[in-house]
Amino acid sequence: MIHRLLATLGLWCAPQRLRAEGTTPDYRFSLANERTFLAWIRTSLALVAGGIAVDQFLTGLSATARTTIAVVLLAGAALCAFRAVNHWVRCERAMRRGEDLPVSRFPVLLAVATAVAALLVIGTVVLGGVGQ
């Protein structure tokens, strides 16, 4: 388990090592994989911006609510960025090996977490967390 984790982390830092596995896929697929990676990074950046915005601009919320929501959004951003790299490597490896692309539950997790964060903000504003 540890060896596999270290090998995967090694591919994050040295993706050229992927070339040693299998055959080169059609470049269109590799570029599509890269675009997907960049979309996840944009999502991560949006979550960072959301966390900062909650902390800096929703000053009417209680400090506890504001900090909690900001931390949840920022943690989601970090998780999303790490997941982007991991998913890119896993997909690239699968394409090179001629395997099925890996499935992921992460999009559902991210969607649910984002909805929960939004509901926290709504609940806090509606239930009187503003101005405390």
Side-chain angles (χ1 to χ4, degrees):
M1 173 80 173
I2 298 292
H3 177 68
R4 191 173 131 198
L5 176 64
L6 291 175
T8 299
L9 290 175
L11 289 175
W12 289 16
C13 299
Q16 68 274 11
R17 290 182 14 209
L18 277 173
R19 292 183 177 158
E21 296 192 31
T23 59
T24 302
D26 185 326
Y27 289 107
R28 293 174 293 178
F29 301 124
S30 289
L31 292 172
N33 189 29
E34 187 174 317
R35 284 190 303 274
T36 302
F37 165 79
L38 293 172
W40 283 108
I41 294 299
R42 283 190 305 272
T43 301
S44 181
L45 289 170
L47 288 169
V48 168
I52 292 169
V54 166
D55 184 58
Q56 294 298 308
F57 299 117
L58 295 182
T59 56
L61 293 178
S62 68
T64 302
R66 191 173 71 235
T67 301
T68 300
I69 295 166
V71 166
V72 167
L73 289 170
L74 294 170
L79 183 63
C80 190
F82 283 123
R83 181 66 180 123
V85 176
N86 187 52
H87 190 71
W88 175 83
V89 167
R90 290 174 59 216
C91 287
E92 193 67 27
R93 179 186 282 164
M95 288 188 298
R96 295 188 75 77
R97 293 177 174 176
E99 300 171 351
D100 289 338
L101 293 179
V103 296
S104 176
R105 292 186 186 127
F106 188 73
V108 172
L109 174 67
L110 181 63
V112 169
T114 303
V116 168
L119 291 172
L120 279 172
V121 173
I122 291 168
T124 303
V125 170
V126 169
L127 296 175
V130 176
Q132 293 181 351

